[in-house]
Amino acid sequence: MDLKNGHVDDLAALGELDERILLDGIHLRYNQDIIYTYIGDILIAVNPFKNLPIYGKEEAAKYVDIKLRSKLRPHLFAIADKAYQAMKRTGVSQCCVVSGESGAGKTESTKLMVKHIIELCKNGTNNLHKRIIEVNPLLEAFGNAQTIMNSNSSRFGKFISLKFSHEGKVVGAKIYDYLLEKSRVVGQGIKEKNFHIFYYLFAGLRKDQLKDLLLDKPEKHRILRPVDNSPVFSSDAVFQYNREMLAHLQYIMLVVGFSEEEVSMVFALLGAVLHIGDIHFEVDVETDGVYIVDEYVLEIVAVLLGVNVEELVATLISNVAILRGERIVTLKNVDQANDGRDALAKALYARLFGWIVRQINTMLEPEPEHRIHPGPEIGILDIAGFENFPINSFEQLCINVANEQLQFYFNQHIFAWELDEYKREGVSGSEIVFTDNRGLLDLFLDKPLGLFSLLDEESKFPRATDTSLVQKIEKHHKKNEYFRQPKGGGLTFGIAHYAGQVVYHAHGFLEKNRDTLSSNLMELMKQSDSQIVSDLFQAQVTDTGSLEPIKNTPKRSRKSILLCKAPNMANRTKSMSRQAGKKLKERINPAKMQTDGPMRDQKTAGAKFQNSLTDLMSRLLDAEPQFIRCVKPNHYKQPNDFKRDLVLEQLRYTGVLETTRIRRLGYPTRLPLRTFIERYKCLAFPVNANVRVTQDNCRKIAKAANLFGWEIGTHKIFLKYWHTEQLNLTVDRLGASVLTIQRCVRGYLARKKLWELKDRLKKEAIIAKAFMTILAKQAAVKAEAIIAQKQQDMLRHQKKLKDTQREAREQQQRQEDEHRREELARHLDERDRLERNFQPPPVPPKSYKNSNISAGNRHSYGDPYSGVGPGRNPAAAHRPGQHPERVPDRRSAPIDYTPENHQNLPNHGQNRYGRQSYFPESDRNVSARYEARHYHPMPDLLPPSKPDRLRPFEEDIRQSPIANQPYKREAFRPSSQPMQGIRRTPGMELRDRQFEYNTIKSTIYQPSEIDMSDTAHYARQTNGVGTTDRNKVYRHFIDEALSKKPALDRDVWCKIIYMERDQDIAKVHVSAPEMIVDGSDVDFDGYRLGLCRYENPFRDDKTAKIREHIGKGVTLTRDNEGSILATRYGKNNIIVKGYSDPAHHSISEEVVYNMGKLPPDRPVKVFDMKEFKSHIALEMNKANADIESLRSQCVVALSFVRNTLDDLETPCWIIIVNFIALDALEDKDMLKEVQESLANLVVKRSGQKAGAAGQRSKHQSHGDMYAEVRKPDRTSAEGLSPESNSPGRRKWAKFKKTKD
């Protein structure tokens, strides 16, 4: 071991031991900033008085679950880890005893140990860990103060009990406080200060907050004024430090659980303590009592405490005693009044401190389940160290006796109990001599002549004095070896403590020991209007001095003490305290003023101290201890200053040398044989073996662990301090090996079980799929049979209905023919009369050809059929005196279609389009030019030049704004024979051959009959699924959307159906203006639909592959008009279904031009509202308006595969039902707009045709005109035909021209 270089971490391992060697080793390590040293399992910590980089997170991480302590340097964290791991392993509570002189670093060591233990078991479930760590700074603010020896000295005893679950997780904590130095509140020695919180208050509160509490500068308050009249804050740095500490304290109180109101209330009570200390008494000559000099302060105190000021005055200047059942009032003198004032301030502060500790314990209390089944604990003791000041009072006496008790506990645990156990167990141990301080403790604690017993006895008598106390102590203990009589005598006596001789000044011993508050003051505080003040004084104080929680406290109307108004003293002319003194004087009975009865039934401070000491020791004895001995290198708190004499003195009285010897030669670990076998039998025996408790079995275990130097007694095995570490390491290694084997075996078993489960699931899936397939086929067969039966029934019904309608039409036709003959005869007579009276018309104006005058505003120049006047024939104007053989063609002139005009028109026979003619067949050479113009419900939309293109409505057309005219069904009936250009399909449907197949190959094949085309977009159908089935699917989803639409939100504009072949997998309603459909597995959230989210048990491999390659998919957007735009973001193609049939789809020209492909990253209209309106207008132009066809055009479908059929066998595709388009079919305003637009177009073209007809009439004969009447105008028909002039026809013509 290299002792010269300071590399010896454990002094117990040295071969040679003496004081010099130990001191040199500690000194060398201190010079190298190595402040921690082991003596066996005890840690020596030397205060460096500077910050060292050994407490960071990286350093703390090294000391977690230490296996070999010798691999790491000694550290406070190692002791904390040892205590925590021992608690987890054995389930036995642990305690860490931190001892040493004042200023040796006990408080900082305690905080570091608490923090590290909390970090070891931190589970991140709540902020309990943070609250426990922040408890120490909070208690320091109210319980620590500056002394001569230490700037942050603990002025109370603190035992922090960390509570754990049986699994080793921290579940709560509890603070036990002992021996608060209350006397420091009202007085301090030279170069000492009050508790930290008062200075935080003045430095941290704003001026307005201090004004609310009527506080002035700290030097103006008596209890804060330094004895040497020096400034409270010696520098700006000190002031700034106190300000920051108050801000941190307020944060800590909120973290721990205090409310902002409670924090403000605490500050207000601290202000009350300051004002109580400022009350000053003087002798009142008139009453022989006292009066209060400054009653302004008195009223402030009354307001802050919530009491009546007059009652407060009476209690401060008088005493009340109960003697033999009679209440006796006496006036106080100045000393008594000052003692009563100080007693009130001390009681208020002490109870406030106890209330804070109680609140902390309430907030850190474990949950109910952990309170029912409590686990082990780790306790950490922090108590004021041994003190020896120039003037030592009652407080130093109590602190030093407590340290004597801890030293005795250390000696007993390390030396006495260990040596006694060696003897009982028959184990050879060296004779070690140690300093036993039992006799000194008997001097203080023995009864009935112990020092504290004598102090309590004297305190019971009012006439006893401090002098009588000292005399009694000298009388009984002057021959005691630990008692010293100082020179000069007086009120002093000396005690030879283990740490050195201390001289105590007995002045104030009796008053401090009594620690009583007068009964009248106590009653007054209990009756306070302030709830917190009343609660503080209603609570009982335990035998140890702690504050008990109160139950069933009567709630008062809280009087606010947070804002204190300055008393108004202007109207007060007499002293309140003088008047109260006079009144009390009159009530005093002089014969009973002198009382010397003993004070009974009151616990003294000495008694509370002894009870606290007993309670503390009981907690330490119930746990396994870990010792930390703190050493102070110098008295001046200077870094790098190692006073060898001072350190050696501390090493001597703490018994470090003896401790080193017994740790090297002795056996600190003594385990019962049964415990040893139960804990370590796995090292030599099977785990489940029943091992007998014998010495031989213990030897087998020790040999299996390769232990040397152990001893076995009668009932216990004795181990060196490193043996426990070696045993635990061996067990941990064995446990790790067992875990590895278990992990491998369990992994194999789990994988085997998983394989079996997968096979079973696969088989079940195959069976289920087969069953569902059979079920689906049977259902399809049943459904087809039902549909076929329904279709046959419908055909029979329609046939019967058509027969009935045909008979009715024939009957009506016969009647109309008779009526037409009569009308024809009348018309011919009238025409002959007009031709005989014909005169040439005036020349029409030049603008006649371009005029667009409606029938209602017609005049002599605007009607080409009216001639010069009423009834004139235009042809007669060119050949006067002759009857024209024919009249001009009326197709190019607008006619006023009204029901009245319609009834007056003659109608004979039928024209070539199946319409009735004005004249019978026999008179066609004369009057064939007069073709009947059927009345139409929308006359303004009909082209006058093409009446033969109007078709009657079907009887079963669905009622809608387009077809909901009751008279339309009566005026138009289907012709008995098909019209020219019409064929009848096998399904008995009428089709126009010219416009039936509006695709690229429409003149050759139907879409379902073509093979794979050059563009590879179509393939021959083999399953018989075609456009009809697709339309049925579309109509099914349209009907479903219409049925659910009333229950949907008004913002919903479309419904999206995800299809896999003919199966609908998912249906969503979209209200967001933009919608993403991609291949992700994201749940639908209103803005995004992930198609991979949905499963389909019948999905084939091709569909699965295509679905997995959808990628970023497509974004759907609607504009303000209701059009739908699609933007492709994925790499794969997306096809718009129906692009080859634009006549039946409302798609844009760009979609048709691109052959349905969506370009990447550019929006394209896949549903064009303008095209949809054009289809509405064209459908209105038909006599047989098909509302179902228009509704089908409200659907647009997108396919995610390139080579696909435009049918239900597409692997992956979506259907989009446009609710805006469906609403448009029900919108009367929109339909009216379409009607007006179409009417304007018709009128414009009619005017152009009329002008062309007028020019032709000048050069054609009457025979040509008749031929023109009989021959349909193909140019006009193609220009106005819905099919030929549809947007789809124009686009395909443009596309075909481009391709050619």
Side-chain angles (χ1 to χ4, degrees):
M1 298 260 178
D2 193 357
L3 180 61
K4 294 182 179 180
N5 294 328
H7 293 166
V8 180
D9 291 336
D10 190 355
L11 298 181
L14 294 175
E16 184 179 357
L17 286 177
D18 58 30
E19 291 181 348
R20 183 187 60 80
I21 293 175
L22 293 178
L23 184 62
D24 290 343
I26 295 174
H27 191 184
L28 287 172
R29 296 172 66 83
Y30 179 81
N31 292 336
Q32 298 174 14
D33 288 338
I34 304 175
I35 62 173
Y36 296 115
T37 306
Y38 288 132
I39 300 178
D41 54 355
I42 299 171
L43 183 69
I44 301 295
V46 183
N47 193 343
F49 291 119
K50 62 180 180 181
N51 294 323
L52 296 178
I54 59 174
Y55 303 107
K57 291 185 178 180
E58 295 182 359
E59 193 72 17
K62 299 177 183 178
Y63 296 90
V64 176
D65 196 10
I66 303 172
K67 303 300 181 184
L68 284 176
R69 190 183 64 168
S70 58
K71 292 185 178 181
L72 296 173
R73 281 188 172 183
H75 203 289
L76 194 68
F77 292 161
I79 300 298
D81 180 74
K82 179 184 177 183
Y84 177 70
Q85 300 302 335
M87 181 205 68
K88 283 184 64 177
R89 183 177 292 106
T90 64
V92 177
S93 297
Q94 307 286 313
C95 68
C96 300
V97 181
V98 185
S99 61
E101 286 192 3
S102 179
K106 298 184 301 301
T107 300
E108 293 300 321
S109 298
T110 300
K111 290 190 290 185
L112 290 171
M113 291 190 69
V114 170
K115 183 177 180 181
H116 190 65
I117 292 174
I118 293 300
E119 290 296 328
L120 289 175
C121 59
K122 191 171 184 179
N123 51 19
T125 55
N126 50 41
N127 63 346
L128 175 63
H129 311 92
K130 186 175 182 180
R131 285 187 288 169
I132 293 175
I133 293 173
E134 296 294 356
V135 160
N136 273 314
L138 175 59
L139 294 176
E140 285 181 16
F142 288 89
N144 287 26
Q146 177 180 326
T147 63
I148 298 175
M149 301 174 65
N150 189 358
S151 60
N152 187 30
S153 177
S154 297
R155 309 320 297 166
F156 73 107
K158 174 178 56 182
F159 186 80
I160 303 176
S161 178
L162 303 177
K163 301 180 181 298
F164 295 86
S165 65
H166 294 283
E167 294 78 20
K169 301 297 183 182
V170 64
V171 296
K174 187 171 184 179
I175 309 297
Y176 298 92
D177 62 298
Y178 305 104
L179 310 174
L180 177 67
E181 188 183 356
K182 297 184 290 185
S183 60
R184 184 169 290 272
V185 176
V186 294
Q188 308 90 37
I190 299 174
K191 295 184 179 180
E192 292 192 351
K193 288 188 175 182
N194 211 320
F195 291 102
H196 293 326
I197 184 61
F198 292 108
Y199 305 99
Y200 296 168
L201 208 64
F202 281 95
L205 291 181
R206 301 188 307 272
K207 289 184 178 180
D208 58 326
Q209 292 175 319
L210 291 173
K211 187 177 180 181
D212 291 339
L213 299 177
L214 298 177
L215 295 176
D216 208 333
K217 294 181 179 180
E219 291 83 2
K220 293 188 177 181
H221 297 281
R222 182 181 66 87
I223 63 176
L224 297 183
R225 189 182 305 125
V227 178
D228 56 358
N229 292 325
S230 60
V232 172
F233 301 108
S234 58
S235 64
D236 292 339
V238 174
F239 181 84
Q240 186 63 29
Y241 170 78
N242 284 275
R243 170 177 290 181
E244 293 174 357
M245 288 304 298
L246 181 69
H248 183 58
L249 179 66
Q250 290 176 307
Y251 165 75
I252 289 174
M253 295 183 75
L254 294 177
V255 168
V256 172
F258 289 88
S259 65
E260 293 184 358
E261 182 182 359
E262 289 175 336
V263 174
S264 301
M265 193 70 69
V266 169
F267 291 165
L269 292 180
L270 292 175
V273 172
L274 291 170
H275 287 297
I276 291 173
D278 292 337
I279 296 176
H280 181 61
F281 298 97
E282 291 289 346
V283 178
D284 187 358
V285 180
E286 297 181 9
T287 61
D288 293 333
V290 296
Y291 72 94
I292 299 174
V293 177
D294 188 0
E295 295 184 350
Y296 175 84
V297 179
L298 180 69
E299 294 207 10
I300 294 175
V301 173
V303 172
L304 289 175
L305 296 181
V307 297
N308 183 273
V309 63
E310 295 180 356
E311 294 179 358
L312 179 61
V313 169
T315 56
L316 288 175
I317 65 174
S318 65
N319 273 328
V320 176
I322 305 297
L323 183 61
R324 299 182 181 90
E326 185 177 356
R327 190 169 184 268
I328 300 174
V329 179
T330 59
L331 294 177
K332 295 180 180 179
N333 56 31
V334 174
D335 293 337
Q336 292 173 338
N338 289 334
D339 290 342
R341 171 201 63 197
D342 293 344
L344 177 60
K346 291 188 294 182
L348 181 59
Y349 187 84
R351 289 174 179 267
L352 177 61
F353 180 80
W355 177 81
I356 292 174
V357 173
R358 190 183 70 192
Q359 294 296 100
I360 291 174
N361 289 335
T362 301
M363 297 163 188
L364 301 182
E365 189 177 18
E367 297 295 332
E369 60 269 19
H370 297 296
R371 293 200 299 269
I372 296 173
H373 303 288
E377 302 178 2
I378 296 181
I380 302 174
L381 176 63
D382 177 22
I383 195 169
F386 186 84
E387 294 181 348
N388 189 0
F389 298 154
I391 299 177
N392 299 288
S393 185
F394 179 75
E395 293 78 17
Q396 280 69 45
L397 178 68
C398 294
I399 290 172
N400 291 339
V401 172
N403 281 273
E404 287 283 356
Q405 184 68 63
L406 290 179
Q407 180 65 22
F408 177 77
Y409 170 73
F410 178 80
N411 291 339
Q412 291 294 107
H413 194 278
I414 299 298
F415 302 110
W417 295 341
E418 187 168 338
L419 295 176
D420 290 343
E421 200 159 15
Y422 292 166
K423 294 179 182 179
R424 288 196 305 269
E425 294 291 326
V427 176
S428 61
S430 61
E431 292 295 332
I432 298 175
V433 180
F434 64 94
T435 303
D436 190 356
N437 61 343
R438 181 186 296 273
L440 190 143
L441 288 176
D442 292 339
L443 171 64
F444 284 99
L445 304 176
D446 197 14
K447 293 182 180 181
L449 299 179
L451 193 146
F452 282 105
S453 297
L454 297 176
L455 181 60
D456 289 346
E457 184 179 348
E458 285 294 303
S459 299
K460 293 179 181 180
F461 298 98
R463 288 192 174 186
T465 62
D466 296 329
T467 303
S468 63
L469 172 64
V470 174
Q471 292 173 355
K472 187 174 288 190
I473 293 174
E474 291 178 356
K475 176 182 177 182
H476 292 283
H477 298 291
K478 62 181 179 180
K479 294 182 180 182
N480 192 299
E481 60 176 324
Y482 299 104
F483 185 79
R484 301 289 186 269
Q485 180 63 44
K487 294 180 180 180
L491 296 179
T492 61
F493 62 93
I495 302 293
H497 290 281
Y498 77 99
Q501 181 174 321
V502 179
V503 177
Y504 296 99
H505 293 255
H507 178 73
F509 265 41
L510 290 178
E511 186 61 32
K512 292 178 181 179
N513 186 54
R514 290 188 180 108
D515 190 30
T516 56
L517 186 65
S518 62
S519 58
N520 53 353
L521 269 175
M522 180 66 75
E523 289 298 324
L524 181 62
M525 293 300 107
K526 289 181 180 180
Q527 300 300 323
S528 170
D529 291 336
S530 172
Q531 184 69 49
I532 187 170
V533 174
S534 176
D535 290 348
L536 290 180
F537 286 90
Q538 292 263 357
Q540 297 295 324
V541 178
T542 64
D543 292 340
T544 61
S546 301
L547 202 66
E548 286 186 345
I550 55 177
K551 300 179 180 179
N552 301 325
T553 305
K555 296 296 181 183
R556 307 174 188 276
S557 57
R558 292 195 173 185
K559 185 175 182 180
S560 176
I561 64 173
L562 302 182
L563 297 176
C564 183
K565 296 182 179 179
N568 185 7
M569 307 296 292
N571 298 328
R572 184 168 299 171
T573 59
K574 296 182 181 181
S575 172
M576 186 186 308
S577 58
R578 289 178 183 271
Q579 293 178 352
K582 291 179 181 179
K583 293 180 181 179
L584 292 173
K585 180 70 174 180
E586 296 175 357
R587 295 163 52 188
I588 293 176
N589 186 355
K592 297 181 180 181
M593 286 182 62
Q594 301 298 329
T595 61
D596 55 355
M599 301 175 62
R600 302 184 183 276
D601 300 330
Q602 291 185 357
K603 286 286 185 181
T604 62
K608 294 176 183 177
F609 166 74
Q610 294 179 74
N611 293 331
S612 299
L613 206 56
T614 302
D615 180 75
L616 176 61
M617 296 310 300
S618 66
R619 298 185 186 281
L620 295 179
L621 292 173
D622 290 339
E624 183 178 336
Q626 308 290 337
F627 293 103
I628 300 97
R629 306 305 294 252
C630 296
V631 177
K632 181 170 61 174
N634 60 76
H635 286 304
Y636 315 107
K637 296 177 284 187
Q638 295 297 321
N640 303 323
D641 186 6
F642 191 87
K643 300 298 183 183
R644 293 177 63 88
D645 294 340
L646 177 62
V647 175
L648 181 59
E649 182 182 0
Q650 296 176 69
L651 294 179
R652 282 176 180 171
Y653 69 67
T654 55
V656 171
L657 181 60
E658 292 82 359
T659 303
T660 306
R661 286 177 181 158
I662 198 170
R663 278 293 176 259
R664 188 184 67 174
L665 302 176
Y667 305 94
T669 303
R670 303 174 293 277
L671 295 177
L673 299 181
R674 181 178 298 277
T675 303
F676 181 77
I677 291 176
E678 289 177 353
R679 190 177 298 177
Y680 302 112
K681 70 176 182 179
C682 61
L683 300 179
F685 302 95
V687 177
N688 55 356
N690 187 11
V691 182
R692 295 180 58 191
V693 180
T694 62
Q695 293 179 349
D696 292 337
N697 290 335
C698 290
R699 289 188 181 94
K700 291 180 181 179
I701 295 173
K703 290 179 180 179
N706 295 323
L707 300 182
F708 301 95
W710 43 269
E711 292 285 347
I712 294 182
T714 306
H715 303 95
K716 291 185 178 181
I717 182 170
F718 292 79
L719 305 173
K720 300 292 186 180
Y721 62 88
W722 65 84
H723 285 165
T724 304
E725 182 179 285
Q726 188 174 348
L727 284 168
N728 293 334
L729 180 61
T730 307
V731 171
D732 290 342
R733 289 175 179 172
L734 180 62
S737 301
V738 171
L739 289 177
T740 302
I741 296 172
Q742 288 179 348
R743 183 169 61 250
C744 296
V745 174
R746 289 176 179 174
Y748 168 74
L749 295 177
R751 288 190 295 272
K752 183 179 179 182
K753 185 176 181 180
L754 179 61
W755 294 332
E756 295 175 354
L757 181 62
K758 283 185 176 180
D759 292 340
R760 187 169 72 252
L761 291 177
K762 189 179 294 185
K763 293 178 181 179
E764 291 177 356
I766 294 173
I767 295 173
K769 186 175 181 179
F771 172 74
M772 295 302 297
T773 302
I774 296 172
L775 194 64
K777 289 181 179 180
Q778 292 178 355
V781 171
K782 295 289 185 182
E784 290 177 357
I786 294 173
I787 292 173
Q789 183 66 35
K790 287 185 177 180
Q791 289 178 350
Q792 292 178 3
D793 294 343
M794 187 178 296
L795 289 175
R796 288 195 299 270
H797 176 72
Q798 290 178 355
K799 182 179 180 181
K800 183 177 179 180
L801 183 63
K802 287 179 180 180
D803 293 341
T804 304
Q805 292 175 352
R806 185 178 66 255
E807 292 176 359
R809 284 197 299 272
E810 290 175 355
Q811 179 66 26
Q812 185 179 1
Q813 188 68 37
R814 288 192 294 270
Q815 296 176 359
E816 291 177 353
D817 289 346
E818 184 66 25
H819 178 70
R820 288 192 187 96
R821 293 187 186 94
E822 296 176 358
E823 289 295 325
L824 177 62
R826 186 185 62 78
H827 177 72
L828 292 176
D829 294 343
E830 181 67 17
R831 187 188 63 179
D832 293 341
R833 187 183 62 80
L834 292 175
E835 288 179 353
R836 287 192 299 270
N837 299 329
F838 173 75
Q839 294 181 2
V843 179
K846 295 181 179 181
S847 61
Y848 167 74
K849 292 183 179 181
N850 300 324
S851 63
N852 188 16
I853 304 173
S854 63
N857 299 327
R858 194 178 289 157
H859 52 78
S860 60
Y861 297 104
D863 189 355
Y865 307 125
S866 61
V868 178
R872 297 291 185 180
N873 191 329
H878 297 278
R879 286 190 287 271
Q882 297 182 11
H883 294 286
E885 297 180 1
R886 60 180 178 180
V887 297
D889 187 9
R890 294 195 177 193
R891 290 176 300 173
S892 59
I895 298 176
D896 188 8
Y897 289 96
T898 62
E900 293 78 6
N901 294 341
H902 175 69
Q903 294 175 1
N904 296 331
L905 293 177
N907 188 2
H908 304 285
Q910 293 181 345
N911 58 13
R912 63 186 297 177
Y913 292 93
R915 305 296 172 90
Q916 297 293 328
S917 173
Y918 286 107
F919 304 102
E921 191 69 25
S922 58
D923 298 330
R924 183 171 296 278
N925 59 342
V926 179
S927 58
R929 59 189 179 273
Y930 293 100
E931 291 185 359
R933 308 277 179 126
H934 288 269
Y935 173 68
H936 195 277
M938 294 182 289
D940 295 339
L941 301 180
L942 295 178
S945 59
K946 287 295 177 182
D948 52 343
R949 299 300 293 173
L950 297 176
R951 301 178 183 179
F953 277 30
E954 294 291 338
E955 290 295 332
D956 58 344
I957 224 44
R958 182 174 295 185
Q959 297 298 318
S960 70
I962 298 178
N964 192 17
Q965 293 89 354
Y967 50 82
K968 192 169 187 177
R969 295 190 297 271
E970 299 175 3
F972 295 93
R973 296 177 176 84
S975 302
S976 58
Q977 299 296 330
M979 296 178 291
Q980 183 176 355
I982 300 300
R983 72 177 182 87
R984 194 176 297 277
T985 64
M988 303 303 293
E989 297 180 359
L990 296 179
R991 297 285 181 87
D992 193 332
R993 292 191 183 93
Q994 183 178 358
F995 307 104
E996 187 167 10
Y997 310 118
N998 220 357
T999 64
I1000 294 178
K1001 298 188 176 184
S1002 60
T1003 58
I1004 304 175
Y1005 302 104
Q1006 298 187 34
S1008 60
E1009 298 174 350
I1010 64 174
D1011 293 323
M1012 183 70 70
S1013 65
D1014 296 336
T1015 56
H1017 284 295
Y1018 301 95
R1020 180 181 299 277
Q1021 294 190 14
T1022 58
N1023 54 2
V1025 180
T1027 307
T1028 305
D1029 293 337
R1030 184 193 64 210
N1031 290 337
K1032 289 181 180 179
V1033 172
Y1034 287 1
R1035 290 174 182 175
H1036 166 71
F1037 288 127
I1038 290 173
D1039 294 338
E1040 184 184 61
L1042 290 174
S1043 65
K1044 294 182 178 180
K1045 189 175 182 300
L1048 298 177
D1049 192 272
R1050 295 182 61 184
D1051 294 336
V1052 175
W1053 62 275
C1054 78
K1055 178 178 181 178
I1056 299 178
I1057 302 98
Y1058 169 45
M1059 303 287 295
E1060 290 184 1
R1061 300 197 182 276
D1062 58 348
Q1063 297 177 350
D1064 52 319
I1065 306 302
K1067 303 177 184 179
V1068 297
H1069 293 87
V1070 181
S1071 58
E1074 185 172 288
M1075 174 68 184
I1076 299 174
V1077 181
D1078 59 13
S1080 66
D1081 58 350
V1082 179
D1083 287 330
F1084 177 67
D1085 57 356
Y1087 301 93
R1088 186 177 182 183
L1089 177 64
L1091 301 184
C1092 287
R1093 175 68 179 84
Y1094 303 97
E1095 296 298 332
N1096 181 10
F1098 303 103
R1099 183 180 295 125
D1100 55 14
D1101 295 338
K1102 181 178 180 181
T1103 304
K1105 183 176 180 180
I1106 292 174
R1107 190 191 69 155
E1108 292 175 358
H1109 289 79
I1110 291 175
K1112 296 182 180 179
V1114 63
T1115 299
L1116 303 176
T1117 311
R1118 68 169 178 84
D1119 60 11
N1120 296 332
E1121 295 180 358
S1123 300
I1124 301 177
L1125 292 87
T1127 306
R1128 174 170 69 90
Y1129 290 106
K1131 294 184 294 185
N1132 299 324
N1133 285 332
I1134 297 178
I1135 307 298
V1136 182
K1137 285 178 173 284
Y1139 72 88
S1140 61
D1141 189 14
H1144 296 88
H1145 295 82
S1146 300
I1147 55 179
S1148 63
E1149 181 178 0
E1150 186 176 359
V1151 173
V1152 178
Y1153 186 80
N1154 292 332
M1155 299 182 68
K1157 293 183 181 179
L1158 293 181
D1161 302 325
R1162 184 164 60 84
V1164 175
K1165 283 187 179 180
V1166 297
F1167 181 91
D1168 195 343
M1169 183 57 78
K1170 292 183 179 179
E1171 296 293 338
F1172 181 65
K1173 291 181 180 179
S1174 301
H1175 286 291
I1176 295 176
L1178 295 173
E1179 197 67 33
M1180 287 181 174
N1181 195 22
K1182 298 179 181 179
N1184 232 357
D1186 189 1
I1187 187 65
E1188 293 296 337
S1189 175
L1190 290 177
R1191 284 178 176 169
S1192 297
Q1193 295 188 30
C1194 297
V1195 175
V1196 61
L1198 303 180
S1199 172
F1200 292 99
V1201 59
R1202 183 173 182 269
N1203 298 329
T1204 179
L1205 295 171
D1206 195 9
D1207 55 17
L1208 299 182
E1209 284 299 311
T1210 304
C1212 291
W1213 55 300
I1214 59 172
I1215 299 174
I1216 307 169
V1217 182
N1218 192 343
F1219 285 174
I1220 300 178
L1222 289 174
D1223 292 341
L1225 295 177
E1226 307 292 332
D1227 189 355
K1228 296 181 179 180
D1229 294 336
M1230 194 280 295
L1231 295 176
K1232 183 178 180 182
E1233 177 186 352
V1234 173
Q1235 293 174 0
E1236 292 174 355
S1237 300
L1238 184 61
N1240 293 336
L1241 178 64
V1242 170
V1243 171
K1244 181 178 179 179
R1245 292 192 176 185
S1246 300
Q1248 294 174 356
K1249 292 294 181 179
Q1255 293 294 330
R1256 289 195 301 270
S1257 62
K1258 296 179 181 180
H1259 306 286
Q1260 292 178 349
S1261 63
H1262 291 291
D1264 294 336
M1265 291 178 65
Y1266 283 127
E1268 190 70 14
V1269 171
R1270 291 189 299 269
K1271 180 180 179 181
D1273 190 352
R1274 289 295 182 185
T1275 303
S1276 177
E1278 292 182 2
L1280 295 177
S1281 173
E1283 292 83 3
S1284 62
N1285 200 32
S1286 65
R1289 170 68 71 174
R1290 292 196 303 270
K1291 292 173 186 175
W1292 275 104
K1294 180 179 178 181
F1295 172 76
K1296 199 169 184 182
K1297 181 178 180 182
T1298 304
K1299 298 293 285 186
D1300 295 336

